[in-house]
Amino acid sequence: MATSGVYRNGSNKAPNLRASSSFKSKLPVSNVRRSIPGGATDTVSGRVRVAVRLRPRNAEEMAADADFADCVELQPELKRLKLRKNNWDSDTYEFDEVLTEYSSQKRVYEVVAKPVVESVLDGYNGTVMAYGQTGTGKTYTLGRLGDEDTSARGIMVRSMEDILANISLETDSVSVSYLQIYMETIQDLLNPANDNIPIVEDQRTGDVSLPGATVVEIRDQQTFIELLRLGENHRVAANTKLNTESSRSHAILMVHMKRSVLGGEDEFSTENENRSHSVGNFKPSILRKGKLVVVDLAGSERVHKSGSEGHMLEEAKSINLSLSALGKCINALAENSAHVPIRDSKLTRLLKDSFGGTSRTSLVVTIGPSPRHRAETASTILFGQRAMKVENMLKIKEEFDYKSLSKRLEIELDKLIADNERQQKVYENEVERIRLEAQKRVTEAERNCAEALEEEKVKCQMDYMESIKKLEEKWSVNQHKCVANGEVHMDSGNDEVTKLKALLQNEICLRKAAEEENKNLKLQLVKFSKAELSGGSTNVMNIQEILEEECRQNKKLEEEVRALKSQLSQLSTEANLSRSYLERGRNGNTPAGLDCLSPLNHLQSRDSSNGERASIVNLHEQVGLQKILSLLESEDANVRIHAVKVVANLAAEEANQEKIVEAGGLTSLLMLLRSYEDETIRRIAAGAIANLAMNEANQELIMAQGGICLLAMTASDAEDPQTLRMVAGALANLCGNDKLQMRLRSEGGIKALLGMVRCRHPDVLSQVARGIANFAKCESRASSQGTKHGRSLLIEDGALPWIVQNANNEASLIRRHVELALCHLAQHEVNAKDMISGGALWELVRISRDCSREDIKALARRTLTSSSTFVAEMRRLRIEV
């Protein structure tokens, strides 16, 4: 009975075909979808495909069966086969392909094996197997070498031809193993000594493999044919009544292929091929691993027909048992049985992937035309019908080919290195040429310059000698005049100086008297204001007018004093000049040339500058520091500005700082910051406070009087870069005091310092960087002494991003302070993680390598190597210090 039913994805079983009038319906195709780059899908049949091939009658059959018709009738155009029961009845079967006795070997390969080979090239596993009675042409179909007639080549030879034609031997590889299963032992046909190869099964994937089999890499077709010939010579065969060279073993050819496809894209796309060869396209290739298994089964035989006996009988039993086990597995898979007896035979274990697995399988069943073997022919046809019901789930096997990518990258790297070396050589030659040319030009310019200088020198010497002669003549005339009139001028000059000194002393006394009177008037004003608060407005107005008049008189006196001082200085200078000039004239030591004309201007300018410096530095000795500080409270803005300038200049000298603080100058300066919004006053006052803040004792006083808050408020309000520079300088000095760390943060000093970076002026940023460096140094010192725990206050206040950003600032002063701050922060282990996440590690590595100052570079290197967190991170990033 012929059955044509098949399960499609487990459902829709087709009806059976029994009579000759019935036809087996076309089997449904099971589809497996594979993703294709670009969005399309490719549909591949997953069912086992079966073709039937009829062997032509041989000489014996022509003689014995001359009076009988063939037991089968082929209808290749309909892909049908009729098996005759008798002269009037037959069973009809339908296959994927029906090959007549006239079908060529090429035709058989194209319809049976070529689709499988193409799938193997795409990365699938494939199986081609021949099944049939002994002597029906299985070995001829699969293993024919075609030495004498190339058209007679079998599937094995033609498959390898196609594989070698579609791969690149530079990037792809093909290797083969040739085995036989003889008496339930797996033997190596390429190495007969290896006669008991075990089967190894992967516990995870279930795949079976033969690690002990000989594997030979194929580079050309001739090598493969020689291997096939060697294997056929080692295969067991015997002479039976049915076949003079009956195979007594199952032959299995395994072809392993590895194929590289760039980026998983279609290797046949010209555009992608061009892109794959372009420089810079380094996508990892897709490595597709396909395996082609070609199985030449030993023929099934009946002992009474083959005449097997003795050892041949044992061989026949083993062959029939393994074929029976294969038939049971096919039946179980066709009926969707829960249990498939794969382990009953080594043949079924090796073909586990071919039936019901992930392989694309084609089966060719070979039959003979003789009616004497109708039963064997019917059994073979039914085996093929059952095999058509087996569903395989095709699965592509591919992975990224990182080795190939690494090799391509190495080649490209070598190419780039060679190009770079060539360009470097050209560059060095060009630099050398330019250097030689520049050196030549410099030499020529030096020679020209030397000649020009020599000429100019000669000219100047001539002019100088001429000038000397003229000056000597003038000097001689002036000497005679000075000798005659010198004493008169000296006496008159001395009288004028004496009068001016007396007048100056008188003016000083008048000024002091005016100041005393002014103080008395102020006291009287206070008394009058208390006593006559209700009705004394008239007296108050009078007193105010008197005070204003006194102030005007005071200013006039001060201007007169300054004028008198200037005149006195000038007269003293002239008198000294005249005296020295006359003394030189008498002694005859007056130098020649230009010296006789230049002393007057030189002495005047020098005395003038010394006078200005003396008037600023020693002003508190002449006027009184308390008086200067009192002018800070003047209502006149110009007076306040001049007074605060004087205090700022005095504060620049360390010797004056203690006197200014004792006299209440620090308090007055802080009051100016608190009370006045004038930008000039605030700038100069902040500068004076910055000078005073250089003294540690003054720093605590500034903190005690709320100076930190005042400086922070000034920093937030001011916009002038110079004011911000002074405030930043004061805060930077305070940051260097270990005792003020917490107060600086709690009173807003650190945030004010960081807020001033908005100005972006280099001088302001330099002071900010200095303050951060001082603060970080104090924290580092406290951490090493054990008095500081926890993260840095700078990191908590958000200073780390700005520090990292300016670690490589173009301004060397800013960069040096920031580099020091980074090194000090990194010395405390608790800051390491924040610094790594904030990018500070890379800056520390740069400092340890590229810093221009050796002490900072050594500090950075020592800090990196002493921190376990930094060492671990650098090991992870493969950074060497």
Side-chain angles (χ1 to χ4, degrees):
M1 180 178 68
T3 59
S4 61
V6 65
Y7 289 101
R8 178 184 174 89
N9 296 331
S11 62
N12 299 333
K13 185 174 181 181
N16 294 333
L17 299 175
R18 294 180 178 273
S20 60
S21 59
S22 303
F23 292 96
K24 186 176 183 297
S25 61
K26 196 74 172 180
L27 290 171
V29 179
S30 173
N31 296 333
V32 173
R33 295 174 68 85
R34 180 186 66 173
S35 66
I36 301 297
T41 58
D42 186 16
T43 303
V44 182
S45 175
R47 177 178 58 78
V48 175
R49 295 177 58 82
V50 181
V52 60
R53 186 181 193 187
L54 177 63
R55 173 182 59 78
R57 287 192 178 193
N58 54 31
E60 180 185 355
E61 291 172 342
M62 287 182 181
D65 301 331
D67 298 333
F68 299 95
D70 291 345
C71 66
V72 293
E73 178 186 350
L74 303 183
Q75 296 177 333
E77 67 279 358
L78 300 176
K79 297 183 180 180
R80 292 175 184 167
L81 176 148
K82 289 185 178 182
L83 179 62
R84 290 191 177 91
K85 294 180 180 180
N86 45 49
N87 291 333
W88 60 85
D89 193 12
S90 63
D91 289 331
T92 301
Y93 300 92
E94 191 172 306
F95 288 91
D96 293 301
E97 291 293 340
V98 174
L99 304 169
T100 68
E101 64 271 28
Y102 304 108
S103 298
S104 65
Q105 289 282 72
K106 181 179 180 181
R107 167 68 177 165
V108 173
Y109 170 73
E110 287 178 350
V111 300
V112 174
K114 189 167 184 177
V116 178
V117 173
E118 290 175 350
S119 296
V120 172
L121 289 170
D122 287 339
Y124 297 93
N125 288 345
T127 303
V128 179
M129 187 169 63
Y131 178 90
Q133 183 188 9
T134 182
T136 54
K138 298 183 298 300
T139 303
Y140 176 84
T141 300
L142 296 180
R144 186 75 171 180
L145 298 181
D147 292 334
E148 299 176 356
D149 184 6
T150 57
S151 64
R153 292 170 297 166
I155 287 176
M156 290 182 180
V157 178
R158 293 177 184 271
S159 297
M160 185 55 66
E161 285 180 352
D162 267 4
I163 290 174
L164 292 176
N166 286 280
I167 67 171
S168 172
L169 294 178
E170 295 179 357
T171 58
D172 307 333
S173 65
V174 179
S175 58
V176 300
S177 299
Y178 202 10
L179 313 165
Q180 69 175 358
I181 301 177
Y182 176 69
M183 300 289 289
E184 282 301 304
T185 60
I186 301 176
Q187 300 176 358
D188 196 336
L189 291 177
L190 303 180
N191 182 15
N194 192 6
D195 58 358
N196 191 10
I197 300 174
I199 298 176
V200 177
E201 184 172 349
D202 192 328
Q203 297 296 329
R204 183 175 61 86
T205 63
D207 295 339
V208 294
S209 60
L210 301 171
T214 301
V215 180
V216 179
E217 186 171 355
I218 303 299
R219 307 293 293 178
D220 56 74
Q221 182 72 8
Q222 189 59 36
T223 303
F224 177 68
I225 292 175
E226 294 298 328
L227 289 176
L228 289 182
R229 184 177 287 110
L230 176 64
E232 288 299 323
N233 292 336
H234 293 150
R235 187 175 179 186
V236 180
N239 186 6
T240 67
K241 293 180 180 180
L242 298 178
N243 192 354
T244 57
E245 292 184 4
S246 176
S247 299
R248 314 308 291 170
S249 65
H250 307 299
I252 302 174
L253 175 69
M254 293 185 176
V255 181
H256 300 271
M257 189 200 67
K258 294 181 180 179
R259 191 177 185 196
S260 180
V261 181
L262 181 61
E265 297 181 357
D266 188 358
E267 61 270 27
F268 301 107
S269 171
T270 304
E271 179 182 355
N272 292 338
E273 282 185 359
N274 294 335
R275 189 185 304 120
S276 68
H277 291 89
S278 63
V279 177
N281 181 21
F282 297 118
K283 288 184 179 179
S285 301
I286 297 297
L287 186 63
R288 291 180 177 174
K289 296 181 179 180
K291 181 175 71 172
L292 174 64
V293 180
V294 183
V295 184
D296 180 11
L297 295 174
S300 61
E301 62 183 53
R302 296 192 179 185
V303 177
H304 68 278
K305 290 185 179 182
S306 64
S308 299
E309 58 183 11
H311 184 67
M312 289 176 57
L313 179 60
E314 296 300 323
E315 292 175 344
K317 288 180 181 179
S318 176
I319 292 170
N320 289 336
L321 282 174
S322 61
L323 292 176
S324 176
L326 178 60
K328 290 179 181 179
C329 291
I330 297 295
N331 289 339
L333 291 169
E335 296 173 359
N336 288 333
S337 174
H339 173 66
V340 181
I342 291 175
R343 296 185 174 274
D344 288 357
S345 169
K346 290 188 177 180
L347 176 63
T348 55
R349 291 187 66 188
L350 285 178
L351 297 179
K352 175 183 177 182
D353 192 49
S354 302
F355 293 97
T358 62
S359 173
R360 180 168 190 172
T361 302
S362 285
L363 172 66
V364 56
V365 293
T366 58
I367 59 176
S370 176
R372 290 180 297 159
H373 304 300
R374 184 190 179 284
E376 289 81 354
T377 300
S379 175
T380 300
I381 291 172
L382 291 176
F383 179 86
Q385 288 288 294
R386 287 191 294 272
M388 291 177 70
K389 299 178 182 180
V390 177
E391 294 280 351
N392 287 352
M393 300 299 295
L394 305 191
K395 180 181 179 182
I396 192 169
K397 291 178 173 57
E398 60 184 19
E399 61 186 25
F400 287 116
D401 187 8
Y402 289 108
K403 291 183 179 179
S404 175
L405 175 62
S406 175
K407 185 177 180 181
R408 287 196 294 126
L409 287 174
E410 288 177 357
I411 294 173
E412 186 66 22
L413 179 60
D414 293 340
K415 181 180 178 182
L416 291 175
I417 290 174
D419 291 343
N420 182 59
E421 290 176 351
R422 183 167 57 255
Q423 293 176 3
Q424 184 68 21
K425 184 65 176 177
V426 173
Y427 172 75
E428 289 175 355
N429 293 337
E430 183 66 16
V431 169
E432 182 65 18
R433 185 187 65 79
I434 294 173
R435 187 185 66 79
L436 293 175
E437 184 178 352
Q439 186 176 1
K440 180 180 178 181
R441 292 183 179 180
V442 168
T443 303
E444 184 178 355
E446 288 178 348
R447 184 172 61 253
N448 296 335
C449 184
E451 293 175 356
L453 287 175
E454 187 66 24
E455 294 177 358
E456 188 69 22
K457 180 179 178 182
V458 172
K459 183 179 178 182
C460 289
Q461 286 178 350
M462 297 298 294
D463 293 343
Y464 175 73
M465 295 302 295
E466 186 70 23
S467 300
I468 290 296
K469 291 179 180 179
K470 292 180 180 180
L471 291 173
E472 285 179 351
E473 293 175 359
K474 291 182 180 181
W475 174 75
S476 179
V477 174
N478 291 333
Q479 186 177 17
H480 292 296
K481 292 181 180 180
C482 290
V483 168
N485 302 323
E487 294 181 359
V488 177
H489 287 299
M490 286 180 60
D491 293 339
S492 61
N494 289 334
D495 294 339
E496 291 180 1
V497 169
T498 303
K499 291 180 181 179
L500 287 173
K501 285 184 178 180
L503 183 61
L504 176 62
Q505 189 64 33
N506 186 27
E507 292 294 338
I508 291 173
C509 294
L510 292 175
R511 188 189 65 184
K512 288 183 179 180
E515 289 176 356
E516 291 293 331
E517 188 176 356
N518 191 11
K519 289 181 181 179
N520 294 332
L521 289 174
K522 284 184 179 180
L523 293 174
Q524 293 177 9
L525 176 61
V526 172
K527 293 179 181 179
F528 287 146
S529 61
K530 291 180 180 180
E532 302 178 0
L533 185 60
S534 58
S537 59
T538 304
N539 295 331
V540 171
M541 292 294 292
N542 294 332
I543 293 173
Q544 286 181 349
E545 292 177 356
I546 294 172
L547 286 175
E548 291 176 357
E549 183 65 26
E550 290 294 333
C551 288
R552 283 193 293 271
Q553 293 295 332
N554 192 12
K555 288 181 182 180
K556 289 181 179 180
L557 291 173
E558 289 177 354
E559 291 176 358
E560 292 176 1
V561 168
R562 282 196 293 270
L564 290 172
K565 281 184 177 181
S566 177
Q567 294 177 9
L568 177 61
S569 175
Q570 184 175 1
L571 289 173
S572 299
T573 300
E574 293 176 353
N576 293 332
L577 178 61
S578 301
R579 188 181 300 110
S580 61
Y581 184 69
L582 292 174
E583 289 176 357
R584 289 176 185 174
R586 293 192 187 97
N587 297 332
N589 295 329
T590 305
L594 297 173
D595 292 343
C596 67
L597 299 178
S598 61
L600 182 60
N601 293 333
H602 175 66
L603 289 173
Q604 286 179 349
S605 61
R606 183 179 62 187
D607 290 343
S608 177
S609 61
N610 290 339
E612 290 178 2
R613 188 180 297 109
S615 65
I616 293 174
V617 176
N618 300 320
L619 186 60
H620 67 284
E621 297 178 359
Q622 299 175 2
V623 179
L625 182 60
Q626 193 64 43
K627 177 62 178 176
I628 295 172
L629 294 177
S630 66
L631 294 178
L632 295 176
E633 301 176 2
S634 175
E635 295 181 358
D636 191 336
N638 292 328
V639 174
R640 287 197 305 272
I641 291 173
H642 289 300
V644 74
K645 284 182 179 180
V646 172
V647 175
N649 286 320
L650 291 174
E653 298 291 337
E654 187 176 358
N656 299 330
Q657 292 179 359
E658 185 177 357
K659 298 177 182 179
I660 292 173
V661 173
E662 290 177 355
L666 176 60
T667 305
S668 300
L669 292 171
L670 292 174
M671 181 270 295
L672 289 177
L673 280 183
R674 181 185 296 109
S675 303
Y676 293 95
E677 297 182 357
D678 186 270
E679 196 70 31
T680 304
I681 292 178
R682 292 203 298 178
R683 179 177 69 252
I684 302 172
I689 294 172
N691 290 335
L692 294 176
M694 290 188 291
N695 189 303
E696 185 174 354
N698 296 340
Q699 292 172 358
E700 297 181 4
L701 290 174
I702 292 172
M703 179 193 70
Q705 297 184 27
I708 297 176
C709 292
L710 289 174
L711 290 171
M713 291 172 59
T714 306
S716 62
D717 297 338
E719 297 295 336
D720 179 47
Q722 296 305 319
T723 304
L724 292 175
R725 180 174 69 88
M726 297 299 181
V727 175
L731 289 174
N733 291 335
L734 295 176
C735 286
N737 193 323
D738 295 337
K739 302 175 184 179
L740 303 181
Q741 297 282 295
M742 296 305 297
R743 288 288 296 273
L744 272 169
R745 189 199 181 195
S746 62
E747 296 183 12
I750 300 301
K751 289 188 176 180
L753 194 66
L754 296 175
M756 282 185 282
V757 302
R758 71 183 187 275
C759 177
R760 300 183 181 274
H761 194 279
D763 293 341
V764 179
L765 296 181
S766 174
Q767 296 299 326
V768 172
R770 183 172 70 87
I772 291 175
N774 289 342
F775 197 92
K777 183 177 181 181
C778 291
E779 281 193 329
S780 175
R781 187 161 53 239
S783 299
S784 61
Q785 294 173 357
T787 59
K788 172 72 171 63
H789 304 284
R791 291 195 310 162
S792 168
L793 300 179
L794 290 173
I795 294 178
E796 291 183 357
D797 281 353
L800 186 59
W802 185 85
I803 295 175
V804 173
Q805 181 182 358
N806 288 271
N808 199 17
N809 195 289
E810 295 180 356
S812 60
L813 193 58
I814 299 174
R815 183 172 64 252
R816 179 171 63 83
H817 288 314
V818 174
E819 287 173 348
L820 281 172
L822 275 175
C823 293
H824 290 312
L825 287 174
Q827 288 179 341
H828 195 23
E829 185 71 20
V830 75
N831 298 331
K833 291 184 178 179
D834 292 303
M835 298 186 72
I836 291 173
S837 62
L841 175 60
W842 296 103
E843 294 300 330
L844 286 170
V845 172
R846 180 193 60 78
I847 294 169
S848 68
R849 294 175 178 174
D850 304 333
C851 185
S852 59
R853 284 188 48 174
E854 291 297 328
D855 55 341
I856 300 178
K857 183 189 294 185
L859 178 60
R861 189 180 296 111
R862 185 169 62 252
T863 302
L864 287 172
T865 54
S866 63
S867 171
S868 58
T869 305
F870 285 141
V871 170
E873 182 67 13
M874 288 190 294
R875 189 182 297 113
R876 185 182 71 83
L877 297 175
R878 299 181 180 178
I879 299 174
E880 295 183 0
V881 178

